[in-house]
Amino acid sequence: MRAESLIGQLLVGDYQILSLLGQGGMGAVYLAEQNTLSRKVAIKIIQPPINDELRLRFQREGLLLARLDHPN
């Protein structure tokens, strides 16, 4: 699936993909809007095939990012 093909589509819950922010070896990061709260968020979608190692790496990345404390 091309990363651009998700733009404008609804994804998990009420998040609508607005644009592609970047992509790399693990997946793509999108700017999205959460419709119910009218806020913009970044969503990372990992590319298949998804194995246990990739799933663990993605989970570790999320835990690290959740601990960040940055004004922006």
Side-chain angles (χ1 to χ4, degrees):
M1 170 179 15
R2 290 178 39 107
E4 293 83 7
S5 67
L6 292 178
I7 296 171
Q9 294 186 26
L10 286 178
L11 194 61
V12 180
D14 67 334
Y15 293 93
Q16 183 172 7
I17 303 297
L18 302 175
S19 64
L20 177 66
L21 295 174
Q23 60 188 102
M26 190 176 187
V29 178
Y30 297 91
L31 175 64
E33 183 166 8
Q34 186 178 13
N35 294 320
T36 55
L37 297 178
S38 296
R39 67 177 178 161
K40 294 205 172 28
V41 298
I43 295 179
K44 185 172 191 176
I45 308 292
I46 53 178
Q47 296 175 6
I50 301 169
N51 57 33
D52 289 339
E53 181 182 342
L54 183 59
R55 185 176 285 114
L56 181 60
R57 189 171 141 200
F58 186 69
Q59 187 175 31
R60 266 188 263 139
E61 180 181 301
L63 291 171
L64 286 170
L65 290 172
R67 292 192 321 214
L68 285 178
D69 184 16
H70 192 279
N72 294 323

